[in-house]
Amino acid sequence: QVPLKPGRSLMDWIRLTKSGKDLAGLKGKLIEVTEDELAKHNKKEDCWICIRGFVYNVTPYMEYHPGGEDELMKAAGTDGTDLFDQVHRWVNYESMLKECLVGRMAVKPIAAPKEISSTLSEEKKQLNGMLPEKKVLGASAKDLTPSYDWFQTDSLITIVIYTKQKDMNAELVIVDCQDKRLRGEIIVDDHSYLVEVDLDHAVQEDLAVNIAEKVGKVEIILKKKDNIHWKMLGQPLEHHNTFIKCKDRGLFYRKCKLVSKMEVTHDTKLFCLMLPKSTHLRVPTGQHVYLKQIIAGTEVVKPYTPVLPFLPLDFKEPSHYDGAHIYLMIKIYSCGLFTQALDHLQIGNYISVSNPEGNFKKSQVQTSEDLFLLAAGTGFTPMVKLLNFALTEVSCLRIVKLIFFNKTDDDILWRNQLEQLVLKDERFEVQFILSQPSKDWVGKQGKISSSLLSEFVKRSRTDSKVLICICGPTPFAEQGVQYLKDLGYSQEEIHTFTA
């Protein structure tokens, strides 16, 4: 994020979109845009971008964009869908940019088929076993596609999903049942399999999910409202029985109830949200969710990484962390539109929470001997579950070290718990570094730098396998990665959390 000029906040943008001003610059007319036409609008003072087939004039939005003008200019005059998906997939651009809509992209004529001979030679190679393994897999991928079946008793409906995966677990299964609409999603590597139906009859609120991990069978068990015989499971919805890349699957939200708010520091609170009874969702370590609020009639979305209610001081999962609750540690900004709205929520109010997202894999930790966590401020949040996992489940780790950057000692999140954790596990070390310390601070001070990192990030042995995770404001993360590379760490040894 970059600092915005005064009068360029999200609220100011929302006001401008409602002012009646012609932001698209076409006096309310929508046009069909050719690729040539789009390419002409590629300057800061005249910038059009295409997202999923719709073209927006983002010129008036330039100064309001939290990522800065340069980020938007990367897609100026082109199709920015891929770039948008990498950085802002969760932003509701239809709502944020609706007043900037220029029109749709003109449909391209379909190109003539390629030379048939080249396709044939490709097939021949495949038959002769000359194609790389990946391509051959493509042909048999159909056999690996999950499938489902269902059966009933007098009182229950059971949907069985055969995932064809050896190591299924609760984090890879997300089930929601809202107003007779059942949605069961299974994550298989970077793909998503979906069962989505409008059920034939009403069911009770609480559902159960059973997973046979070794054979990869998932059962969703629903209780019938009335003990009647169902003729069918229900009407399939649009994306029912599809197996596609996760990034092509839209985010799904459910409403969660705020059950508690606790102060962590002077400006940071721990929010506890309760999932509906009819939802099964476990957020994997290192992944984030999106919260969605309607503010002044505009949908606003922000990513947050769930934490545990406290650190693993007794080295077992806390009993009330039962999967029915999501804990979020959120810094409340005095002029932050979204966090102010969050802070004003009353206990018992609801907020929309998305499915988890993120590309962190636990196996990265399981194959490491030294784990270094670099966090700035609320960049500490992904480290909470990571610490829990590393210290309770990964025995091959020799060092687990948190290097925690903050402005003042009042800003240090869970300082007391972290210091207690050092006493509990001899593998764990924590180093607090302050950029604006008080007079009586005796610890380290400064900002992230090559010299600080060379002092604190050291392999336990010359050949030890290292994983360094980094999270904080974008400049912090980018500088950190550069310093680490300068110190000789490879890209494979560094994981940056983006949310």
Side-chain angles (χ1 to χ4, degrees):
Q1 296 211 344
V2 297
L4 297 169
K5 293 178 192 160
R8 294 292 181 270
S9 70
L10 177 57
M11 195 67 222
D12 293 316
W13 172 252
I14 291 172
R15 279 195 203 103
L16 180 60
T17 63
K18 297 191 184 330
S19 66
K21 207 169 168 195
D22 178 18
L23 298 180
L26 295 173
K27 301 188 171 63
K29 200 167 79 226
L30 291 179
I31 60 170
E32 210 177 40
V33 183
T34 61
E35 279 192 11
D36 291 347
E37 182 60 34
L38 177 64
K40 289 177 194 165
H41 302 270
N42 62 356
K43 298 172 202 67
K44 267 190 188 164
E45 59 283 0
D46 175 21
C47 180
W48 289 9
I49 290 176
C50 170
I51 306 173
R52 292 199 179 83
F54 289 95
V55 178
Y56 297 91
N57 178 357
V58 296
T59 319
Y61 183 57
M62 282 282 175
E63 293 191 344
Y64 297 84
H65 181 54
E69 296 178 354
D70 295 347
E71 199 59 48
L72 280 178
M73 285 306 295
K74 286 179 187 169
T78 65
D79 187 327
T81 307
D82 285 348
L83 188 77
F84 188 86
D85 281 347
Q86 282 166 27
V87 187
H88 300 298
R89 178 169 122 73
W90 42 275
V91 171
N92 189 332
Y93 62 90
E94 297 103 321
S95 178
M96 293 280 285
L97 297 177
K98 60 175 181 268
E99 298 305 323
C100 302
L101 182 64
V102 170
R104 274 181 184 275
M105 282 301 285
V107 181
K108 275 193 284 194
I110 293 164
K114 280 187 190 157
E115 286 282 311
I116 290 174
S117 59
S118 70
T119 339
L120 280 174
S121 64
E122 193 75 335
E123 273 179 38
K124 251 198 197 128
K125 277 186 197 163
Q126 190 160 337
L127 288 171
N128 297 336
M130 288 162 65
L131 273 191
E133 215 173 320
K134 279 260 167 62
K135 278 234 170 123
V136 179
L137 245 183
S140 63
K142 200 90 192 101
D143 316 336
L144 299 171
T145 302
S147 60
Y148 81 102
D149 201 352
W150 72 284
F151 57 88
Q152 62 184 313
T153 63
D154 286 348
S155 58
L156 300 176
I157 294 286
T158 303
I159 295 111
V160 185
I161 299 171
Y162 304 99
T163 68
K164 303 176 186 172
Q165 298 298 306
K166 290 264 190 302
D167 44 4
M168 253 302 118
N169 66 61
E171 292 181 344
L172 303 174
V173 180
I174 305 163
V175 182
D176 289 272
C177 195
Q178 302 170 354
D179 307 323
K180 282 178 55 189
R181 178 187 174 186
L182 174 76
R183 185 185 191 279
E185 185 175 1
I186 310 287
I187 307 298
V188 178
D189 295 327
D190 60 347
H191 277 67
S192 148
Y193 175 71
L194 192 64
V195 168
E196 194 175 30
V197 289
D198 193 359
L199 296 168
D200 212 26
H201 297 280
V203 291
Q204 291 178 37
E205 236 187 276
D206 46 337
L207 54 81
V209 173
N210 293 337
I211 300 165
E213 300 196 359
K214 297 283 181 285
V215 291
K217 190 171 78 169
V218 175
E219 290 180 343
I220 302 167
I221 301 158
L222 309 170
K223 293 178 189 164
K224 294 178 178 178
K225 265 248 168 85
D226 306 299
N227 291 359
I228 49 177
H229 184 77
W230 291 25
K231 291 192 176 67
M232 57 191 278
L233 182 60
Q235 290 296 331
L237 292 164
E238 188 187 353
H239 300 292
H240 174 63
N241 202 18
T242 53
F243 188 48
I244 61 173
K245 283 238 153 109
C246 290
K247 68 178 177 59
D248 297 330
R249 181 87 68 205
L251 281 175
F252 183 81
Y253 288 85
R254 76 278 304 142
K255 287 205 174 330
C256 295
K257 187 197 272 189
L258 177 64
V259 291
S260 71
K261 257 194 287 191
M262 278 170 52
E263 281 203 2
V264 180
T265 65
H266 61 102
D267 63 359
T268 302
K269 293 184 180 174
L270 185 68
F271 289 72
C272 176
L273 304 174
M274 186 164 72
L275 290 162
K277 270 189 184 168
S278 54
T279 291
H280 170 278
L281 173 102
R282 306 280 187 274
V283 181
T285 298
Q287 294 204 2
H288 51 271
V289 294
Y290 299 103
L291 301 188
K292 179 165 72 176
Q293 302 190 87
I294 308 283
I295 299 175
T298 298
E299 261 188 17
V300 186
V301 179
K302 286 271 163 30
Y304 292 99
T305 306
V307 298
L308 295 170
F310 41 76
L311 284 172
L313 298 176
D314 54 359
F315 293 104
K316 59 178 192 289
E317 281 277 285
S319 56
H320 65 283
Y321 188 65
D322 50 10
H325 297 90
I326 289 179
Y327 293 87
L328 299 166
M329 200 183 280
I330 296 173
K331 183 172 178 172
I332 311 296
Y333 293 91
S334 56
C335 52
L337 188 65
F338 195 87
T339 58
Q340 283 295 326
L342 264 183
D343 198 30
H344 285 112
L345 288 176
Q346 303 296 311
I347 302 301
N349 286 162
Y350 286 84
I351 184 156
S352 296
V353 179
S354 80
N355 284 3
E357 271 209 341
N359 57 2
F360 183 79
K361 300 270 184 290
K362 279 181 174 176
S363 56
Q364 294 168 260
V365 183
Q366 288 162 324
T367 52
S368 300
E369 294 162 297
D370 304 344
L371 175 64
F372 295 98
L373 310 174
L374 309 182
T378 46
F380 171 61
T381 55
M383 310 310 179
V384 175
K385 280 190 171 184
L386 195 45
L387 271 176
N388 178 64
F389 173 68
L391 295 175
T392 55
E393 294 183 48
V394 188
S395 53
C396 58
L397 282 165
R398 283 198 208 91
I399 299 176
V400 178
K401 188 167 186 178
L402 170 68
I403 299 130
F404 196 0
F405 294 81
N406 285 282
K407 280 186 183 166
T408 71
D409 46 358
D410 286 341
D411 296 319
I412 301 173
L413 302 164
W414 282 357
R415 179 180 178 180
N416 190 17
Q417 290 196 42
L418 288 164
E419 287 172 341
Q420 283 183 42
L421 193 54
V422 172
L423 303 174
K424 287 271 182 186
D425 192 320
E426 56 190 21
R427 294 172 300 165
F428 179 60
E429 291 176 47
V430 64
Q431 184 69 53
F432 301 116
I433 299 172
L434 302 184
S435 59
Q436 297 170 15
S438 60
K439 293 194 297 291
D440 44 9
W441 175 253
V442 291
K444 279 277 169 192
Q445 42 186 289
K447 293 190 169 177
I448 194 165
S449 67
S450 193
S451 61
L452 272 175
L453 292 185
S454 64
E455 187 180 342
F456 294 121
V457 181
K458 287 182 179 148
R459 295 177 196 271
S460 59
R461 287 199 316 233
T462 46
D463 61 344
S464 61
K465 293 196 179 80
V466 171
L467 175 65
I468 307 167
C469 296
I470 186 163
C471 188
T474 308
F476 169 86
E478 286 176 353
Q479 285 171 346
V481 170
Q482 194 50 57
Y483 294 142
L484 289 166
K485 286 182 176 171
D486 294 346
L487 291 168
Y489 293 97
S490 68
Q491 186 61 59
E492 291 70 47
E493 293 175 317
I494 304 168
H495 179 89
T496 309
F497 289 106
T498 50

